[in-house]
Amino acid sequence: MKDSVFKVLTNKKIAKNTYEMTLRGDVSDISAPGQFVNVKLDGFYLRRPISVCNVEGDVLTLIYKAVGRGTELMAEMTGGEELLTLTGLGNGYDTKKSGDKPLLVGGGAGVPPMYLLCRELVKEGKHPTVILGFGSSDEVFYEDEFKALGAEVIVTTVDGSYGIKGFVTDAFSGLSPTYFYTCGPEPMLKAVYDKSECSGSFSFEERMGCGFGACMGCSCKTKYGNKRICRDGPVLEKEEIIW
Amino acid sequence: MVNTKVTLCGVEIDNPIIPASGTFGFGYEFAELYDINVLGSLSFKGTTLEPRFGNPTPRIAECPEGMLNAVGLQNPGVDKVKECELPKLREVFHKPVMANVSGFSEYEYVTTVEKLDSEPDIAWFEVNISCPNVHGGGMSFGTSCQSAEAITRAVRRVTKKPLIIKLSPNVTDIVSIAKACEAGGADGISLINTLLGMRIDLKKRRPILANTTGGYSGPAVLPVAVRMVYQVYDAVKIPLVGMGGVSRAEDVIEFMLAGATAVEVGAANLVDPFASKKIIDELPLVMEKYGIKNLSEIIGGAH
């Protein structure tokens, strides 16, 4: 874990309420896909936890939804802003578990961490399939970026305005993955849990205080005891989850 | 050279900075970030007789200049604390430790203290009768003079170590409660615990916290805490540990001028994991700025 200043390079809207921000800074403590950073914003006491979408050189990419006052403030940034950021938070995904044909399932704000994960899996010579789930066509992002990594990409929208109509699990038929990785809203995680036949990793979201395991604000019960989403997670294994 | 040493209930510490219970775990996670032996002491995570998961989530909410928490005393229980947590703390921290204990009955407070009393690293007990996030315990003991004195008296019987009672600000008259604790045999008073608060999610039109209410902490509560330390200092003879929104060395000086012998740092540790260390690093400079040679000389200096 490191606390350092990142400088905003670019910040652009890529879908409805969805922004892609690139920042330059010390990324040396980011050690796995699925980790998150905790960003300090002027005028707010607690930091904003945002999952890591990509790291290239010393450039960090974050994709976030402007859903509250904090993220709305981020959406207004134009570049040059300096943000105090804690990096290297959370356990992240373990790519060693993937097998040859992992399935990556991201829903909405759960899509971004799938990107770095997909990149790493491809780099390791694996053949990931990615399901990206959104509400509607205007919310869709990163389909081409995932394709450019060499992954098989399936998009679903709840209203059917783009890709397969329905939820991410409606795209499961015919797929026989060796392992799966997922991130998204909890009802989606539960649906993936119920429909999936192989083992997998689930990334959870919770309101956090500190983001590094001190405050016990984001605790959950697992079959292996109480865990802190921020420190022992956000990624939990299928076998340990209690719904 | 300035002197930052203070003596809290007969125990000398290198400086008055103590991370507050519930914001520093059992120390060892912060020890990965910096040498926590720079601290005066630390007050470990509130420990109860039985293991507790605490309240359902969400447990945290953003506030102006602060936060709400409704963790609800999550801890592994006193036996696990002795068996697992304290040995890990001992590896990284070689100074006197403050044991924060809580309970849901007099029996639980007493038994928890009894079980911890033999731990050589524990220099003080900080008895939390002020947690706003649990029902039928915690704060309910700290909101009447009778129960505050009764708990103090009961715990007093089972330990010879300095006994500090942590008070709630959610009372009509904190002075009378502090006096009741002193009458019950307390060696010190720590104050304040969090202020009972609440936030509502505008989209869902429901409370943000699953527990509905939570404890408000952070810089916003500092003036309330300073006022209470100032009032209690006038009313009791035992030393005070001041806390509430401390985030800079200047705040430490302010609490000490109000009457605190030592100062706890709480929420600041959560937004900046290095906060306690930074305050300690800044303290000598700020002392020089205000012409303070011996920190212990300013205790109660504003009276």
Side-chain angles (χ1 to χ4, degrees):
Chain A
M1 179 167 88
K2 228 170 219 165
D3 197 16
S4 59
V5 173
F6 278 69
K7 193 166 193 174
V8 178
L9 300 174
T10 62
N11 189 33
K12 65 176 185 199
K13 192 171 183 178
I14 55 170
K16 185 184 171 187
N17 292 334
T18 309
Y19 296 80
E20 179 196 64
M21 179 182 275
T22 60
L23 309 101
R24 174 164 283 139
D26 182 351
V27 297
S28 59
D29 266 31
I30 300 172
S31 56
Q35 286 188 328
F36 64 97
V37 299
N38 217 358
V39 182
K40 181 90 178 92
L41 298 172
D42 282 347
F44 294 90
Y45 192 64
L46 297 173
R47 298 183 188 224
R48 264 52 191 172
I50 300 172
S51 59
V52 171
C53 174
N54 195 18
V55 178
E56 273 194 273
D58 60 356
V59 177
L60 168 69
T61 304
L62 304 175
I63 293 177
Y64 58 95
K65 276 195 140 179
V67 287
R69 289 195 302 130
T71 41
E72 279 164 9
L73 179 78
M74 281 179 73
E76 288 166 12
M77 292 178 180
T78 53
E81 294 87 352
E82 295 192 328
L83 300 176
L84 187 62
T85 305
L86 275 171
T87 53
L89 303 177
N91 56 354
Y93 293 112
D94 183 352
T95 57
K96 290 188 192 70
K97 293 181 174 166
S98 71
D100 182 54
K101 287 165 66 183
L103 177 63
L104 279 55
V105 185
V111 167
M114 292 298 146
Y115 183 77
L116 182 57
L117 174 64
C118 186
R119 210 191 81 183
E120 292 297 310
L121 290 167
V122 170
K123 205 197 280 177
E124 290 174 14
K126 288 145 183 176
H127 301 90
T129 298
V130 184
I131 302 175
L132 307 175
F134 301 96
S136 185
S137 61
D138 58 354
E139 296 170 16
V140 176
F141 63 89
Y142 261 45
E143 182 187 10
D144 293 340
E145 283 80 352
F146 278 96
K147 281 182 178 160
L149 292 176
E152 191 80 31
V153 182
I154 303 164
V155 177
T156 66
T157 53
V158 177
D159 67 1
S161 55
Y162 191 87
I164 295 174
K165 181 176 174 15
F167 294 102
V168 288
T169 44
D170 293 316
F172 274 20
S173 62
L175 300 173
S176 48
T178 49
Y179 191 81
F180 67 89
Y181 299 93
T182 183
C183 183
E186 200 165 309
M188 187 201 96
L189 298 185
K190 178 73 168 74
V192 171
Y193 180 94
D194 290 338
K195 285 248 174 116
S196 57
E197 282 160 9
C198 60
S199 187
S201 297
F202 293 72
S203 183
F204 284 82
E205 210 179 39
E206 187 52 80
R207 273 179 188 265
M208 292 176 185
C210 63
F212 52 88
C215 72
M216 304 288 167
C218 60
S219 299
C220 70
K221 291 177 182 170
T222 77
K223 288 176 188 162
Y224 306 148
N226 299 336
K227 291 200 168 183
R228 297 158 295 182
I229 296 293
C230 70
R231 176 132 181 153
D232 309 311
V235 177
L236 301 180
E237 293 304 301
K238 188 180 181 186
E239 292 70 28
E240 62 181 315
I241 295 167
I242 301 173
W243 296 101
Chain B
M1 270 303 278
V2 295
N3 182 3
T4 60
K5 284 187 165 55
V6 295
T7 301
L8 178 62
C9 305
V11 182
E12 188 183 76
I13 47 179
D14 292 334
N15 63 65
I17 312 303
I18 303 172
S21 180
T23 65
F24 215 72
F26 287 87
Y28 51 84
E29 273 144 355
F30 285 83
E32 291 171 19
L33 303 175
Y34 64 91
D35 179 5
I36 62 170
N37 290 291
V38 299
L39 302 168
S41 175
L42 68 86
S43 182
F44 64 59
K45 176 73 187 154
T47 296
T48 53
L49 185 58
E50 303 296 333
R52 285 181 56 80
F53 174 71
N55 290 318
T57 55
R59 297 174 172 184
I60 302 288
E62 166 89 28
C63 295
E65 287 300 313
M67 61 184 283
L68 287 182
N69 92 81
V71 171
L73 297 174
Q74 181 178 349
N75 80 94
V78 66
D79 292 336
K80 271 267 159 55
V81 166
K82 279 174 67 120
E83 184 190 328
C84 306
E85 303 292 342
L86 294 183
K88 282 204 242 175
L89 171 58
R90 202 169 293 135
E91 278 176 29
V92 294
F93 191 59
H94 317 298
K95 287 186 162 184
V97 171
M98 189 176 283
N100 186 287
V101 299
S102 199
F104 293 82
S105 66
E106 193 175 295
Y107 167 79
E108 285 186 26
Y109 279 101
V110 166
T111 313
T112 307
V113 170
E114 270 181 326
K115 283 179 178 240
L116 289 169
D117 197 45
S118 58
E119 294 289 332
D121 314 320
I122 294 175
W124 313 266
F125 283 101
E126 183 179 53
V127 177
N128 176 6
I129 57 167
S130 46
C131 177
N133 296 322
V134 295
H135 302 283
M139 192 173 89
S140 59
F141 294 108
T143 51
S144 94
C145 294
Q146 290 77 11
S147 55
E149 186 175 339
I151 291 284
T152 308
R153 216 173 273 289
V155 175
R156 176 74 289 167
R157 279 188 218 109
V158 295
T159 181
K160 292 196 164 59
K161 290 183 175 176
L163 185 59
I164 296 168
I165 311 293
K166 184 169 178 179
L167 298 190
S168 170
N170 305 305
V171 294
T172 46
D173 180 15
I174 197 164
V175 169
S176 60
I177 292 174
K179 284 164 109 169
C181 295
E182 185 179 38
D187 299 299
I189 300 288
S190 68
L191 70 169
I192 57 174
N193 205 319
T194 54
L195 286 137
L196 195 59
M198 176 175 177
R199 303 239 41 203
I200 294 170
D201 185 314
L202 302 190
K203 281 183 192 148
K204 294 179 184 160
R205 302 187 180 187
R206 302 290 304 159
I208 290 176
L209 298 173
N211 189 53
T212 306
T213 61
Y216 189 16
S217 60
V221 312
L222 182 136
V224 178
V226 170
R227 183 264 294 179
M228 288 186 162
V229 168
Y230 186 89
Q231 288 177 325
V232 171
Y233 181 82
D234 274 335
V236 300
K237 293 187 178 67
I238 51 179
L240 309 181
V241 180
M243 78 198 82
V246 174
S247 28
R248 342 173 275 155
E250 285 85 347
D251 301 339
V252 175
I253 308 283
E254 189 168 345
F255 268 98
M256 293 186 74
L257 287 169
T261 296
V263 174
E264 292 188 20
V265 179
N269 293 310
L270 306 180
V271 289
D272 177 1
F274 297 94
S276 292
K277 181 189 182 331
K278 284 179 186 167
I279 292 170
I280 291 163
D281 290 344
E282 289 165 5
L283 192 56
L285 295 172
V286 175
M287 284 172 66
E288 272 173 26
K289 181 177 172 188
Y290 292 99
I292 302 162
K293 286 204 175 67
N294 284 303
L295 200 49
S296 60
E297 284 170 10
I298 68 161
I299 298 166
H303 290 259

